Amino acid sequence: MIAKIINGTKIALKIQNKIKKKIHKRKKNGLFQPGLAVVFVGNNISSKIYVKNKKIACKKVGIISKICRLSISVTEKKIIHTIKNFNSDPTIHGILIQLPLPKKFDTQKILRKISYKKDVDGFHPFNIGLLCQRNPRLRACTPLGIMNLLKSYQIKIKGLNALIIGASNIVGRPMMLELLLAGCTTTIAHKFTKNLNQYVKNADLIVIAIGKPNFLHGKWIKKGAIIIDVGINRLKNGQIVGDADFNSNYLRASYITPVPGGVGPMTVTSLLQNTLYICENYYDKKF
Ligand code: NAD
């Protein structure tokens, strides 16, 4: 069996074009332009690239972006003050804190300071709670992007045994809630999971997000499984690879996302989608 490759770049472009048209129409109808604020603390090189990409993506679709760069020596109080200013800024509709924050900060405490209405990353307990209760509003970007990919390829997932490998707050946990909501029977594995391959061989759908290059070998998986690879790992030779070994999985899976060009482009697209969602649902009309 040879897998069908899920082209995230193509789907992301399609969705971005739709967003661009909607924003153009808003402007024509006299509605305000969406605004996104990005708070970036420190100097993490990968984060720098991600922030730059977000800025470019915003510009492409007509979202105004404000990047607030704070030095690593900034105080928690100053970060919170910055967030509060954006919370009350009528030109800003989405706020995100570029993660990871330098280790000395209490990330959860800081994320909770973002108004749940401007929580464009969907990490606020209010939004995670709503997803948990089957009533999602602002949904975490990477899982939302993956759900959009599955939908675009008309992959039926109701009733499937889904395994999520990796249990982080930003990918694994909200992913589990999304798949549960979509009718999958979900299992979540993490670094303490014993006999991971027993879960792998039973899974019809695997989402892997652990940050370990080529960790999941194709010989483990069920024939015809759907493989969604979230990992982004840079090898010493500069090559970017996922958490699943592409070549061996490609020969056994039914669908597979490549790295790069799979989940990555969808994550930034979800950010744009969420910014527009906030405008349409919280600010165009009163809730
Ligand atoms: P994280 O470090 O916060 O969490 C990793 C998780 O993997 C943890 O729950 C840990 O228990 C689990 N884990 C580690 N080793 C394991 C093992 N051997 N077996 C099973 N579970 C194991 O990571 P994260 O922020 O969720 O990111 C994971 C990967 O996804 C990274 O490569 C990151 O760069 C990438 N990522 C990609 C996107 C995207 O848009 N494509 C978005 C976010 C993260």
Side-chain angles (χ1 to χ4, degrees):
M1 174 172 249
I2 285 182
K4 193 163 181 188
I5 296 175
I6 297 180
N7 187 337
T9 308
K10 192 174 107 191
I11 304 300
L13 225 122
K14 254 192 191 168
I15 300 175
Q16 287 185 17
N17 278 335
K18 273 190 198 158
I19 296 171
K20 189 176 170 179
K21 277 187 191 147
K22 278 192 179 175
I23 293 177
H24 184 72
K25 202 168 159 198
R26 290 177 67 81
K27 286 201 274 182
K28 248 177 66 185
N29 292 341
L31 281 167
F32 57 85
Q33 206 172 341
L36 174 72
V38 179
V39 180
F40 175 23
V41 184
N43 249 322
N44 183 300
I45 294 177
S46 305
S47 294
K48 232 183 202 169
I49 299 168
Y50 293 142
V51 169
K52 192 175 147 209
N53 289 343
K54 285 169 187 172
K55 194 175 168 181
I56 294 169
C58 281
K59 195 164 177 213
K60 246 173 80 184
V61 300
I63 292 175
I64 299 165
S65 63
K66 271 190 197 170
I67 315 294
C68 175
R69 280 202 70 168
L70 299 170
S71 97
I72 193 154
S73 60
V74 72
T75 59
E76 185 179 276
K77 207 170 155 193
K78 169 74 180 155
I79 302 177
I80 291 172
H81 180 72
T82 305
I83 294 172
K84 285 188 174 163
N85 278 344
F86 283 134
N87 278 342
S88 54
D89 183 340
T91 67
I92 292 299
H93 310 96
I95 305 169
L96 80 84
I97 310 292
Q98 185 61 42
L99 298 179
L101 279 172
K103 280 207 169 78
K104 63 175 176 171
F105 295 111
D106 180 344
T107 301
Q108 292 312 313
K109 179 180 170 192
I110 291 172
L111 289 177
R112 280 197 299 273
K113 301 296 175 191
I114 298 175
S115 157
Y116 73 88
K117 288 186 179 178
K118 296 193 178 186
D119 173 37
V120 77
D121 257 338
F123 297 154
H124 191 285
F126 179 80
N127 287 311
I128 290 286
L130 285 175
L131 174 61
C132 195
Q133 293 178 336
R134 297 183 269 187
N135 181 26
R137 282 192 207 162
L138 286 165
R139 297 153 69 183
C141 291
T142 302
L144 173 59
I146 292 170
M147 297 314 286
N148 282 336
L149 273 184
L150 294 168
K151 204 166 132 193
S152 296
Y153 276 79
Q154 296 176 332
I155 301 171
K156 302 261 176 289
I157 60 168
K158 198 175 269 179
L160 295 189
N161 282 335
L163 172 66
I164 301 99
I165 312 179
S168 69
N169 281 353
I170 66 169
V171 185
R173 285 165 198 258
M175 189 73 241
M176 183 201 68
L177 293 170
E178 288 283 356
L179 291 172
L180 184 61
L181 181 61
C184 292
T185 303
T186 54
T187 304
I188 188 158
H190 43 74
K191 61 183 171 199
F192 303 120
T193 300
K194 290 179 185 153
N195 300 323
L196 179 64
N197 54 356
Q198 294 302 314
Y199 298 99
V200 168
K201 76 175 186 201
N202 262 328
D204 305 305
L205 164 63
I206 298 176
V207 178
I208 182 159
I210 63 173
K212 301 224 157 108
N214 301 323
F215 177 86
L216 179 71
H217 197 277
K219 69 181 174 208
W220 290 11
I221 69 166
K222 192 192 233 185
K223 225 177 186 172
I226 301 155
I227 306 295
I228 307 292
D229 190 352
V230 181
I232 303 175
N233 309 287
R234 185 180 290 274
L235 301 181
K236 278 192 184 139
N237 65 8
Q239 194 193 350
I240 303 282
V241 298
D243 289 344
D245 173 64
F246 185 84
N247 291 336
S248 58
N249 280 283
Y250 176 63
L251 295 176
R252 271 178 81 81
S254 57
Y255 287 91
I256 188 165
T257 58
V259 177
V263 175
M266 295 301 288
T267 298
V268 69
T269 303
S270 300
L271 189 67
L272 309 174
Q273 202 179 336
N274 277 349
T275 308
L276 183 60
Y277 175 96
I278 292 171
C279 294
E280 290 174 342
N281 290 281
Y282 288 123
Y283 294 97
D284 285 351
K285 49 183 187 252
K286 294 271 173 255
F287 243 48

